[in-house]
Amino acid sequence: MATKVIAVANQKGGVGKTTTAVNLAACVAAQGRRVLLLDLDPQANATSGVGLEKEPGGSAYGPLLGQGSLTEKIKRTPFERLDAIPSEMDLCGADVELIRAEQHLHRLALALEPIQAANHYQVVLIDCPPSLAVLTLNAFAAADGLVVPLQCEYYALEGISSLTRIINQLRDTGVNPRLHLFGVVMTMFDARTNLSKQVEGEVRQHFGSIVFDTVIPRTTRLAEAPSFGKPIIHYDKYSAGAAAYEVLAQEFCERLGI
Ligand code: ADP
Ligand code: MG
């Protein structure tokens, strides 16, 4: 089966995109699939989260603008079956420069084609920046589906209507006829508060079965792990955060058919 591409996206910052991209990627790899994590956020948190360095010229930036191939940018991580394409600051300029490029929405899809054709990876997971600018739209144009993390707090659904509008636009205009909301994952759930339960209820009512059954708890271990350059299952295997992302990964693989 062909390599699937899933983008982890939400234009809001701080909702758990990077934490979900890194830990989902690590758990899916630990469960026996070959995974490529593509860091598209200039902040490069997913890059350091899997123990890689930012290196000048090491990101997707060049290939997006037609310089070199994306395959050359792939790095092994210290974790079995998990490879990554790092980010670095040069991606900051990509939004502006891509607008001037031909087929500016399809640059990433085109760059990913050889990687998908090689069929080495079962899934490519893209960590998107917190915006709906051109870099994110490139991820949307390349993706088979989106995973949207929502933080269990007031305003969790804020901005969701612009996100769904863009999905529909990209699909209806033929930019990406496959694009759909593949899954919603509730993050930073605090079992001690009614608010978390209320928000979870509202989100499930709004999205139905698109919401993953697994809810990610708020735990300091998940916030600490990146400073050690490790996904949670390699930092604290028996923690609640590790257990949650392991179950989420099972649900994810089942839904994706990998
Ligand atoms: P985004 O990529 O959407 O900006 P991050 O994944 O970077 O969001 O998360 C924002 C902050 O919240 C980070 O400091 C991260 O470590 C922390 N965080 C994310 N998920 C959790 C969680 N489940 N429990 C505790 N802290 C979390
Ligand atoms: Mg992030």
Side-chain angles (χ1 to χ4, degrees):
M1 202 174 49
T3 302
K4 303 276 187 180
V5 178
I6 299 290
V8 181
N10 184 330
Q11 70 271 36
K12 275 210 233 179
V15 298
K17 283 183 295 297
T18 300
T19 305
T20 296
V22 164
N23 289 298
L24 192 55
C27 290
V28 169
Q31 289 168 14
R33 281 80 170 186
R34 285 181 303 276
V35 181
L36 178 63
L37 176 64
L38 168 54
D39 190 352
L40 267 197
D41 187 348
Q43 292 199 12
N45 294 334
T47 300
S48 49
V50 293
L52 296 181
E53 301 284 332
K54 297 179 241 181
E55 283 167 36
S59 78
Y61 176 80
L64 281 172
L65 292 163
Q67 292 140 18
S69 82
L70 200 54
T71 311
E72 288 164 11
K73 307 294 179 191
I74 297 175
K75 293 268 185 319
R76 313 253 330 239
T77 73
F79 315 105
E80 209 178 342
R81 287 180 297 274
L82 178 59
D83 293 346
I85 298 175
S87 162
E88 46 128 0
M89 287 308 287
D90 59 7
L91 274 175
C92 277
D95 270 316
V96 175
E97 283 161 75
L98 278 169
I99 291 175
R100 290 192 238 115
E102 251 176 80
Q103 291 194 284
H104 70 284
L105 292 178
H106 292 283
R107 306 302 295 205
L108 182 62
L110 293 169
L112 274 169
E113 260 174 19
I115 292 175
Q116 289 181 273
N119 213 6
H120 173 71
Y121 301 103
Q122 269 100 346
V123 63
V124 179
L125 271 170
I126 307 174
D127 186 29
C128 292
S131 82
L132 290 172
V134 185
L135 209 46
T136 302
L137 295 183
N138 265 265
F140 287 14
D144 293 294
L146 306 185
V147 165
V148 175
L150 293 182
Q151 196 181 347
C152 293
E153 53 138 69
Y154 280 121
Y155 310 123
L157 288 169
E158 187 189 54
I160 282 299
S161 56
S162 13
L163 190 59
T164 44
R165 205 176 319 123
I166 282 189
I167 294 175
N168 293 338
Q169 268 174 13
L170 292 176
R171 198 171 42 212
D172 298 346
T173 55
V175 170
N176 181 356
R178 304 181 310 284
L179 188 63
H180 67 290
L181 189 51
F182 174 75
V184 167
V185 53
M186 302 298 304
T187 65
M188 298 183 234
F189 184 88
D190 187 344
R192 294 165 308 180
T193 68
N194 280 327
L195 176 61
S196 273
K197 283 168 222 155
Q198 256 171 36
V199 173
E200 187 196 353
E202 264 171 46
V203 169
R204 289 200 188 278
Q205 201 159 27
H206 186 87
F207 287 109
S209 59
I210 289 177
V211 187
F212 288 108
D213 292 337
T214 316
V215 171
I216 308 301
R218 180 186 284 281
T219 78
T220 46
R221 303 301 267 168
L222 274 171
E224 281 165 16
S227 56
F228 296 89
K230 287 181 179 176
I232 189 74
I233 45 160
H234 302 289
Y235 172 62
D236 189 353
K237 190 172 167 31
Y238 300 105
S239 62
Y245 274 109
E246 282 184 296
V247 181
L248 180 68
Q250 285 166 4
E251 245 191 280
F252 174 86
C253 290
E254 202 169 301
R255 200 180 279 193
L256 198 55
I258 60 168

